[in-house]
Structures are given as structure tokens and as C-alpha cells.
Amino acid sequence: MSTETNDPRFAHIDVWPIADAVQAMWEGQLAAVAAVQSQVPAIAAAADAAAARLGREGRLAYAGAGTSGRIAVQDGVELYPTFNWPQERLVFLMAGGLSALTEAAEGAEDDGDAARRAVAAAGLGAADVLVAVAASGRTPFTRAAVAAARAAGALTIALANNAGAPLLGDAEHALLVDTGTELIAGSTRMKAGTAQKAVLNMLSTAIMLRRGLVHDGLMVNMRVSNDKLRDRAQRMVAEIAGVAPDIAAAALSAGGEEIRAGVLIALGAAPAEAAALVARHDTLREAMRAYRDA
């Protein structure tokens, strides 16, 4: 596996001037992101398939161990505040359990039975999507999670950093980001981890785009949970509806701080009508059109 190979270029990095070592790390980060480019079509295809499968009820699940698992969980956790993706529609299958997010449980990655039990306990099925991440592409826990989820009917997406990784053959959608050797052999939190984070950022954001949770580049399904976000939400309502800030603020409040409802109220809809339009339509654009055509 290239991620485990000791690169002779860095054989004496521990005695390099530290500025040279950091320069090499920076170059590695650039190379990691560049390696993602070849997977853009595959990421788009996976996002389209995932968004269609999830519909309005399906759950998005993440599986992984160690560094890869932590990166996967981080991506999923961010979907709630950013897109108000319901927490009950997120599933995290982390080798060693969620306590392994802060306390290393490296031996747990070999426990395929634990992965199968976790998939069964989560009740993953045909409406769900599993995203599995493993730098090596060989982790028993992650492979077992994919196999069990796929057998249960879930759509499966695999992300790995080594060509020929068996995990990629386990899933319906394979994302290979071949980041090559690490500056410190086996330290996949470096290049491999950076590439994984970039891919997951792109994949989950594309899914949210396809699910209609973005309007004209704005996070219109964002959770309004503090003063900063309330101010941002009011600006969104004002911009989309074309109204003054005070009208936008009142509309947002009348809509229960739900941005899409706030836009419709600012356009003249009653709060109950706005809520019904949002519930009935997948996108704000569709809801606005329906209101104007009524």
C-alpha cells in the first residue's frame, strides 16, 4: 500500500531544518487536493445517486475506523447546523464506538462482526446511503459495514487512497484518491486525510444541493441557532424576497426562524400557507413559483 510505504525522499526528515520539513508538508497537502480532481465525475455521480435514494426520509450513514472514521463523522456532524439535515437522518458507524472519536481504539478496526452488528442495530435499508472511508481500503470493520449495508439494500459509496483497494470493489460507487506515499510512512492523517476531507466536503455538499437545501448559493435550510446566524438568515430573506431588513426580520420571526418560510411570508404568504408550501415542495424555488402561480 502506497500510504504505508517509506518514501526515501523523506528518510532523514527528522534531521532536516524544520522550515524544510514544513515546506515538504505543504507541498504534500497541495498534492493531496490535486489528486481529488480525477474523481470529480465519480463524486458527482455518487452525489446524484445518493440524493435520489435519500428522498425525504432516507438516512445518510458514515462508516470508518481511526483517522478515516473521525474525518467521516466530522463531515456528517456539520450537516445539521449547515443544512438543518435532521439528526435522526444521520447514522455514524465508528469502529470502537463514538468514544473512539477522542480516545484511540485502533484494534477495533479489525472487528468485522462489530460492524455487522452496528448496521443491523441501525436498521439500514433501501432508503439509506452509506459512505465508507478507509485510507488503506482494507479495514475489516469498514469493509464489513459496506457488505452488510449493501446486503440490506442501502446504496453504498466507498472512499479509499490506495489503488486496488478491495473496499472500492465492495461498494456501488467507488472513489479512489491515490495520494501516494506519506511524508511520515503510514501517517494517513496527512495527505490521505486531507484528500478524504476534500472529497467528503464535495460529496455531502453536492447531495445537499440536489436535495434542494441551497438557493442561489445561500444556505436557506440553515439552522438559526445564534445571533450571528439570525442576522445572516435575515439578510438571506431580504435578498431573496427583495424586501427591507425590518420586513425580513419580521417575516423570519413569523416563520419560526425557518428561512424558506420567512421568504414566502415576506412575499405575502400567511405563516400557515408558507409552512405548507415548504412542506410540499423540495426547493424554495418551487415553493416560490407555486405561491406566485396560486
Side-chain angles (χ1 to χ4, degrees):
M1 295 182 291
S2 61
T3 53
E4 300 291 329
T5 301
N6 190 3
D7 192 325
R9 291 177 297 168
F10 309 118
H12 303 293
I13 193 170
D14 51 306
V15 295
W16 288 8
I18 197 63
D20 292 348
V22 172
Q23 174 72 20
M25 294 177 203
W26 173 73
E27 291 171 357
Q29 296 295 290
L30 293 180
V33 173
V36 175
Q37 196 278 332
S38 67
Q39 295 303 294
V40 166
I43 294 168
D48 264 336
R53 179 68 66 92
L54 289 166
R56 291 191 167 203
E57 303 294 333
R59 293 171 296 165
L60 186 57
Y62 292 82
T67 297
S68 296
R70 295 180 192 105
I71 291 171
V73 170
Q74 181 187 7
D75 186 76
V77 167
E78 291 293 332
L79 300 182
Y80 175 55
T82 306
F83 300 105
N84 204 18
W85 185 261
Q87 290 179 309
E88 63 270 19
R89 294 182 66 188
L90 286 168
V91 177
F92 299 112
L93 307 177
M94 179 75 186
L98 291 182
S99 63
L101 291 173
T102 56
E103 297 179 13
E106 301 302 333
E109 71 175 46
D110 296 326
D111 194 345
D113 287 340
R116 286 183 279 272
R117 289 193 299 270
V119 169
L124 294 185
D128 303 321
V129 175
L130 175 70
V131 180
V133 188
S136 68
R138 300 173 183 276
T139 309
F141 178 93
T142 311
R143 292 194 66 196
V146 170
R150 189 168 182 178
L155 180 73
T156 53
I157 302 169
L159 168 58
N161 299 91
N162 282 278
L167 178 68
L168 298 174
D170 295 337
E172 289 134 298
H173 289 269
L175 306 175
L176 167 63
V177 185
D178 191 352
T179 45
T181 57
E182 295 285 358
L183 183 135
I184 300 171
S187 182
T188 53
R189 71 187 188 91
M190 298 292 286
K191 290 166 64 181
T194 294
Q196 290 171 0
K197 185 65 171 70
V199 169
L200 292 173
N201 282 347
M202 296 162 67
L203 176 65
S204 60
T205 302
I207 292 170
M208 297 299 116
L209 284 170
R210 280 290 169 263
R211 289 305 313 149
L213 303 182
V214 176
H215 178 91
D216 286 348
L218 299 173
M219 295 185 291
V220 292
N221 206 47
M222 176 188 74
R223 232 181 125 250
V224 179
S225 56
N226 58 42
D227 290 341
K228 178 191 75 173
L229 297 178
R230 188 169 297 105
D231 181 65
R232 182 189 296 171
Q234 290 171 3
R235 293 198 306 272
M236 287 189 214
V237 173
E239 178 180 337
I240 297 169
V243 299
D246 59 331
I247 295 175
L252 182 67
S253 178
E257 299 198 319
E258 208 283 350
I259 297 166
R260 295 175 296 176
V263 169
L264 293 164
I265 292 168
L267 290 173
E273 181 185 13
L277 284 165
V278 169
R280 195 158 56 242
H281 297 281
D282 285 337
T283 70
L284 175 57
R285 201 176 308 280
E286 291 172 356
M288 291 169 66
R289 186 181 303 117
Y291 172 69
R292 286 167 172 155
D293 291 346

